[in-house]
Amino acid sequence: MPRQQPAASATPSASTSASPIPDDVFEGTVIGIDPGHNGGNAGAPEVIDEPVWNGRSQSPCNTTGTATNDGYPETDFTWAVATKLAADLRESGAKVVMTRDSNNGVGPCIDKRAKIINDAEADVAIDIHADGAAASERGFSLLIPVPSGTNDEIVEPSRRYAELLRTEMRKTGMPVADYLGKGGFVERDDLAGLNLTTVPQVLLETGNMRNAEDARLLKSDRFQAKAAAAIERAMAAYLRSR
């Protein structure tokens, strides 16, 4: 996701460590997965440029996302990680709700994505992205909600979940970003997925697609599988801690 000006940064206070996933931790749960953007967005500006309510103001319905310098699109990356994660979660007994069902469509709009996950009453959700920052910048960051009126009850649970996800993502080989927020955590008040959510949710900027080292990882099937596994472990740890 192209970088936007973040709001004030804060580090979540939770310090719980993730542990091995029990066989039944996902049984009976609903998990929301939002793979950022969509492969057909670039061809439909008349759709994705339309303004929608983001929980505080108007934002474009969606965006095209970013890409590596050699043209590997963020949409392909988010879809690859999301489908790996969904398969693993279903195998573990979860019901998985995804905000899009292919990588060649348009949208849905950011407000509809939030509604899909909210209507499913997901136990926890992840919004998967990658950044498009300066080529010198590296690492993953976790975008976390601030109270919007709609999301107030899940702000603190989301931050505890973000702490667990940072712990697990550190095991993938991708460093924590030092160019956004503090310790990899960035408070955002301009994103519909975080403003409108009624379930614990974090937006993961999995790396910087414009950085050569990050791009090498982000394009790797092995790293994509590691990222999916890290998200699953963090979700399991969060569910166990409720």
Side-chain angles (χ1 to χ4, degrees):
M1 183 173 73
R3 180 164 55 161
Q4 296 171 278
Q5 183 65 34
S9 61
T11 302
S13 58
S15 59
T16 308
S17 296
S19 56
I21 301 173
D23 290 343
D24 61 351
V25 69
F26 287 110
E27 289 293 338
T29 63
V30 178
I31 307 297
I33 303 177
D34 183 13
H37 313 289
N38 204 331
N41 283 3
E46 71 285 358
V47 175
I48 67 168
D49 290 345
E50 281 295 310
V52 299
W53 182 247
N54 73 12
R56 283 191 174 86
S57 61
Q58 299 290 319
S59 292
C61 159
N62 212 294
T63 58
T64 60
T66 187
T68 62
N69 291 335
D70 61 359
Y72 178 70
E74 181 184 359
T75 53
D76 286 15
F77 169 76
T78 65
W79 183 246
V81 176
T83 52
K84 286 176 170 61
L85 175 60
D88 291 344
L89 288 166
R90 289 178 178 126
E91 186 175 347
S92 297
K95 175 183 177 182
V96 175
V97 175
M98 295 180 66
T99 59
R100 58 183 173 104
D101 59 9
S102 75
N103 193 37
N104 55 15
V106 176
C109 294
I110 51 178
D111 58 338
K112 183 175 179 182
R113 290 176 186 239
K115 187 175 188 304
I116 289 169
I117 291 174
N118 290 344
D119 286 352
E121 299 182 347
D123 292 280
V124 65
I126 186 71
D127 192 352
I128 303 169
H129 283 263
D131 205 7
S136 59
E137 309 289 8
R138 282 207 71 192
F140 74 87
S141 54
L142 299 160
L143 279 51
I144 54 179
V146 295
S148 68
T150 299
N151 68 7
D152 293 6
E153 292 186 3
I154 57 79
V155 168
E156 288 308 317
S158 294
R159 293 179 179 211
R160 294 196 302 271
Y161 165 40
E163 179 77 17
L164 296 165
L165 183 53
R166 184 179 69 167
T167 296
E168 297 303 332
M169 279 298 299
R170 279 174 160 162
K171 302 173 184 177
T172 66
M174 183 70 73
V176 177
D178 60 5
Y179 68 95
L180 283 176
K182 181 178 180 181
F185 298 106
V186 187
E187 290 186 339
R188 291 291 289 267
D189 64 1
D190 59 330
L191 301 175
L194 299 180
N195 288 343
L196 298 174
T197 187
T198 56
V199 310
Q201 184 162 339
V202 171
L203 189 154
L204 172 62
E205 293 280 20
T206 322
N208 177 19
M209 300 198 88
R210 298 296 187 179
N211 176 277
E213 292 178 90
D214 282 10
R216 177 180 56 80
L217 290 173
L218 293 168
K219 293 189 292 182
S220 159
D221 184 76
R222 183 181 181 195
F223 173 79
Q224 292 166 4
K226 285 184 176 182
I231 296 167
E232 183 181 17
R233 290 194 304 269
M235 287 177 164
Y238 170 75
L239 293 170
R240 193 183 310 115
S241 72
R242 291 188 300 174

